[in-house]
Amino acid sequence: MSAAATTTTDTTASTSPLMPTYPPAAVTFTRGRGTRLWDVDGKEYLDLLGGLAVTALGHSHPAVAEALAAQAQTLLHTSNLFGTVPGLEVARTLDRLLGGGGQVFFTNSGAEANECAIKLARRWGGRGKHVVVSALGSFHGRTLATLHATGQPQKWEAFQPLPEGFRHVAWNDLEALESAIDPSVAAILLEPVQGEGGVNPATAEYFGGVRKLCDERGLLFVVDEVQTGLGRTGEWFGHQHFGVVPDVVTMAKALGNGVPIGACWAKADVAAAFEPGDHATTYGGQPLAAAAARAVLGVMEEIDAPAQAREAGAKLTQVLEADPHVAEVRGLGLLLAAQLNDGIDAREVAAAALGRGLVVNAVTPTALRLAPSLLITDDDLADAGARLAQAFADVEAAS
Ligand code: PLP
């Protein structure tokens, strides 16, 4: 490797120009196409992580690349003081996929989409009715408010004091949720599948019960679909598995297939709690990101993204279950976790897999997360099974 290449890709803690919020990167990728990535040395990888459930249509999808290039040559940015065409079209499509009757606020990330939902819940609830109840094990973002909404105290303890008004209850436990409700509560915020928390799906009984509880107590049901939204779980949105209609839905990740864009959708009567000036963003929904999202949604509807996720998810489950090191496979559609047999360290397996040209991540110390492109092929899946078997063998050989 040349000296210049070493300098530009070196992320070891002492010499990196980047803050040490992530461990030093083991690999630097320079190119991607479909389910494949290539690193600085030209080594090819099969990507089963999809940039953390983002690249649902695979890397460098031509429709997205073409939309970006065309929009970049047409209009990049005007601010949200003015109308732009692609954003309106994306908002209409999202509203249709969510059943209609809602309005959208665009953001640049999932955390910002949840910030919007939290602010909307506070505006809707009014003074004194502002608390958001979320679940232990949840993940909602890294801004101070979404961090406090996140039900993982180890992630926020060091950053106190945090914005107040957040309460956490046991996951999938309706009684625990009910006993946390008092007149100060405005909203319940839940993921259909806890992604970062280990790929733990909600039950239909739980989501149905939460909807009923919200109706009875006059609360908003806010569903965080940042990781689960847009086909990944086998429905357009994860909550659609459970037959409920939320009041507010947030999304991001797959919406831009790698271009930063998120959205907070709310039923129109809830969205009406916001007045001009209550919330804003310079970049959210700007033409370049919205053009990418418009292309993504166009392709997703054309290929029936939820059906792709269902079919490929069932096949990937079979591949994983066939490996004797996997104790259990959980998740929905193509958002899966492989729980490993006792004594196997998922972090060691993920590192060994990378060595074998397979990108997965250890979502917990004992489980691997898989969130590949919805367009993954049967050949890719067979390849994934073989590379994973090699990775397990490498870990065994090293112990
Ligand atoms: N909500 C959920 C369910 C997520 O999985 C994530 C990110 O992983 C977020 C929110 C935060 O999204 P972002 O990293 O785009 O801010």
Side-chain angles (χ1 to χ4, degrees):
M1 195 186 287
S2 73
T6 308
T7 309
T8 52
T9 60
D10 183 3
T11 58
T12 48
S14 57
T15 53
S16 173
L18 305 177
M19 286 193 192
T21 57
Y22 287 90
V27 172
T28 297
F29 294 116
T30 54
R31 196 161 63 85
R33 189 86 188 169
T35 54
R36 304 284 157 164
L37 286 165
W38 288 267
D39 71 11
V40 277
D41 299 320
K43 178 177 164 185
E44 186 187 304
Y45 297 76
L46 172 57
D47 184 7
L48 287 198
L49 186 59
L52 293 168
V54 167
T55 49
L57 299 179
H59 297 283
S60 311
H61 193 285
V64 182
E66 279 158 30
L68 283 168
Q71 189 64 44
Q73 289 166 344
T74 308
L75 182 66
L76 264 187
H77 184 82
T78 57
S79 90
N80 285 312
L81 298 178
F82 306 99
T84 56
V85 174
L88 286 178
E89 290 181 15
V90 173
R92 284 197 190 99
T93 304
L94 292 177
D95 186 49
R96 175 165 50 76
L97 296 176
L98 281 159
Q103 292 176 312
V104 169
F105 180 91
F106 286 114
T107 67
N108 306 291
S109 67
E112 284 175 67
N114 286 332
E115 282 279 344
C116 175
I118 292 164
K119 282 182 71 178
L120 180 59
R122 288 187 175 200
R123 200 74 169 96
W124 175 86
R127 291 252 160 145
K129 186 178 163 86
H130 64 279
V131 170
V132 173
V133 182
S134 55
L136 288 167
S138 64
F139 184 80
H140 299 294
R142 297 285 193 159
T143 61
L144 287 173
T146 59
L147 189 59
H148 206 185
T150 291
Q152 301 186 49
Q154 71 278 16
K155 288 198 164 49
W156 48 254
E157 254 152 17
F159 300 98
Q160 299 183 77
L162 295 161
E164 69 112 6
F166 296 92
R167 212 171 276 174
H168 307 103
V169 293
W171 174 234
N172 263 338
D173 183 338
L174 198 57
E175 270 178 34
L177 183 61
E178 199 164 355
S179 58
I181 309 294
D182 64 26
S184 70
V185 174
I188 314 293
L189 169 63
L190 298 171
E191 297 156 88
V193 180
Q194 290 189 335
E196 300 305 303
V199 188
N200 305 310
T203 64
E205 295 71 38
Y206 185 53
F207 258 49
V210 174
R211 178 68 275 177
K212 196 160 163 274
L213 192 63
C214 287
D215 290 340
E216 286 167 2
R217 306 287 182 94
L219 311 174
L220 295 181
F221 189 6
V222 182
V223 178
D224 179 343
E225 298 265 8
V226 167
Q227 187 150 166
T228 49
L230 299 161
R232 173 146 306 276
T233 67
E235 294 286 350
W236 281 109
F237 291 93
H239 65 264
Q240 292 167 344
H241 286 278
F242 311 132
V244 302
V245 179
D247 302 298
V248 181
V249 176
T250 60
M251 68 198 84
K253 292 190 184 276
L255 184 55
N257 204 54
V259 176
I261 180 167
C264 175
W265 171 94
K267 286 180 182 166
D269 57 334
V270 175
F274 271 159
E275 289 173 10
D278 273 348
H279 199 44
T281 165
T282 298
Y283 286 125
Q286 59 93 269
L288 192 69
R294 180 171 60 183
V296 167
L297 293 171
V299 175
M300 283 187 165
E301 292 209 90
E302 205 176 286
I303 64 167
D304 192 353
Q308 290 275 346
R310 277 196 298 276
E311 282 160 34
K315 289 176 185 166
L316 180 54
T317 301
Q318 278 177 3
V319 167
L320 295 169
E321 283 176 348
D323 194 297
H325 304 89
V326 174
E328 178 213 26
V329 180
R330 59 174 181 266
L332 283 175
L334 264 181
L335 179 56
L336 297 174
Q339 184 66 40
L340 306 182
N341 288 343
D342 285 350
I344 306 180
D345 187 328
R347 292 158 299 194
E348 288 177 14
V349 178
L354 204 58
R356 291 289 181 174
L358 180 70
V359 184
V360 294
N361 102 307
V363 69
T364 71
T366 56
L368 299 174
R369 171 177 33 189
L370 309 119
S373 162
L374 309 187
L375 297 171
I376 194 163
T377 65
D378 290 356
D379 285 350
D380 287 331
L381 291 169
D383 189 7
R387 291 183 196 226
L388 198 57
Q390 289 169 333
F392 282 123
D394 292 345
V395 170
E396 274 167 2
S399 63

